[in-house]
Amino acid sequence: MFDSLTERLSGIFTQLRGKGRLSEADIDATAREIRLALLEADVALPVVKEFIARVKERARGAEVSQALNPAQQVIKIVHEELVGVLGGEERRLNFAKQPPTVIMLAGLQGAGKTTLAGKLGRWLREQGHTPLLVAADLQRPNAVNQLQIVGERAGVEVYAPQPGNGVGDPIQVARDSIEHAKRVQRDVVVIDTAGRLGVDAEMMAQAASIRDVTDPDEVLFVIDAMIGQDAVATAEAFRDGVGITGVVLSKLDGDARGGAALSVRQVTGQPIMFASTGEKLEDFDVFYPERMASRILG
Ligand code: GDP
């Protein structure tokens, strides 16, 4: 991820080395090149425009400094602005005062929700919680089974529909799972929901109903970082259709251009909270904007 962006940016900064003070023309040329590099990385146009405007303004206003030469100054500005588009500070999960905390996962089919449920379950358990995973994706034939497998690997109980408790009705499964969590004293409920291949009214309505009956503390929108330019429309649809409180980037280990990662915070207005970097349960961590920005700059 981001390899070509990193390479492009580093080429741009190299051209600035050895320059004394940056002229207006230097700043314009550099901004133009950074703009192109971001667009080629599939970052959404409105995000690129704002980013470039800020970088230009700050580069113009930068004081001549003893400590940093112009190239270093531009790198510092770009770094800080990257941290900004990635969300600034990391944001932690919002836990309910009265357990169970309810975390609902939403996103397109294949985004990585079921895998994430297992990762989150394992991570929560390591943090001393007693999570329950809930199989409310009854759309994909194998989803319940897949969740049971990841739950077992993560050492976390899975609540799945059985005859008499909501076979075919994800909303009932979700509602009942909260009661079950209270009964068996699980303090965090992670609800896996159904996605479709594309944004779909029925899927949104179902996700909204699950949200209404479970009153989640967090609705995490899971997005495949490889989806490129479709990221914006998808993120907007989930923001408007379900209402999301945070974002999880999955498949950051892929070799896509990474634009979704840089666009999604601004498009949704919600923080990126976790990152998934592989198929294994341990390929998962809290999202750190600062670290990601440093990685992009190489
Ligand atoms: P869901 O339809 O949203 O529940 O998506 P799944 O959890 O079933 O994931 C879809 C596919 O992506 C599966 O083959 C997963 O193993 C794979 N996958 C999920 N997360 C990641 C990730 O972070 N990196 C990679 N490389 N693959 C992932």
Side-chain angles (χ1 to χ4, degrees):
M1 190 70 63
F2 294 122
D3 289 354
S4 54
L5 179 60
T6 302
E7 207 172 295
R8 286 286 300 269
L9 290 174
S10 125
I12 296 167
F13 299 141
T14 304
Q15 289 170 17
L16 294 176
R17 294 239 163 84
K19 282 197 188 281
R21 210 185 149 75
L22 294 188
S23 67
E24 192 68 26
D26 289 330
I27 292 174
D28 282 349
T30 304
R32 225 177 3 254
E33 288 189 47
I34 298 175
R35 182 176 192 277
L36 271 178
L38 291 172
L39 289 173
E40 272 175 29
D42 272 344
V43 183
L45 183 60
V47 177
V48 175
K49 280 188 168 160
E50 259 191 54
F51 187 92
I52 295 302
R54 281 195 305 266
V55 168
K56 263 171 120 168
E57 190 187 317
R58 290 187 57 190
R60 280 196 198 109
E63 297 286 316
V64 183
S65 145
Q66 296 283 312
L68 299 178
N69 63 39
Q72 289 166 329
Q73 240 165 13
V74 172
I75 293 172
K76 179 168 179 284
I77 292 169
V78 170
H79 180 266
E80 286 169 4
E81 292 299 332
L82 280 175
V83 174
V85 290
L86 291 166
E89 295 282 296
E90 52 263 22
R91 211 269 268 159
R92 295 309 167 97
L93 279 175
N94 186 17
F95 287 98
K97 287 196 187 70
Q98 191 71 27
T101 295
V102 177
I103 302 174
M104 174 177 160
L105 309 182
L108 294 181
Q109 184 174 317
K113 294 180 296 302
T114 307
T115 311
L116 173 75
K119 292 174 172 179
L120 205 49
R122 176 182 184 272
W123 182 84
L124 285 163
R125 207 165 61 87
E126 280 175 355
Q127 311 280 314
H129 292 283
T130 54
L132 175 73
L133 307 184
V134 179
D137 175 359
L138 307 184
Q139 204 70 39
R140 205 153 51 86
N142 200 33
V144 174
N145 191 22
Q146 191 190 337
L147 187 69
Q148 275 162 333
I149 293 168
V150 294
E152 200 166 307
R153 276 194 205 133
V156 175
E157 185 193 350
V158 173
Y159 184 87
Q162 276 150 19
N165 92 15
V167 171
D169 183 356
I171 296 155
Q172 191 194 329
V173 171
R175 187 195 292 116
D176 292 352
S177 72
I178 311 285
E179 289 312 310
H180 176 79
K182 286 182 188 158
R183 255 193 325 270
V184 298
Q185 299 192 337
R186 304 283 176 225
D187 72 343
V188 186
V189 178
V190 178
I191 305 175
D192 185 21
T193 67
R196 301 286 161 92
L197 290 175
V199 169
D200 170 295
E202 203 186 320
M203 164 186 72
M204 283 300 174
Q206 185 182 94
S209 300
I210 291 176
R211 177 202 63 206
D212 291 344
V213 300
T214 59
D215 188 20
D217 300 283
E218 298 277 9
V219 179
L220 301 185
F221 168 57
V222 185
I223 185 165
D224 178 341
M226 316 246 273
I227 87 171
Q229 288 290 349
D230 286 345
V232 171
T234 309
E236 283 174 347
F238 277 90
R239 178 198 63 196
D240 298 341
V242 193
I244 61 183
T245 63
V247 177
V248 180
L249 286 173
S250 72
K251 310 193 193 180
L252 275 176
D253 52 313
D255 58 4
R257 291 173 283 187
L262 284 166
S263 309
V264 75
R265 156 82 227 209
Q266 197 160 319
V267 170
T268 61
Q270 298 299 333
I272 305 169
M273 296 177 63
F274 296 100
S276 251
T277 51
E279 297 193 67
K280 294 201 290 295
L281 288 183
E282 55 273 27
D283 298 331
F284 171 78
D285 202 354
V286 170
F287 182 78
Y288 299 102
E290 166 74 40
R291 279 190 212 167
M292 180 63 92
S294 299
R295 221 183 85 193
I296 293 171
L297 287 182

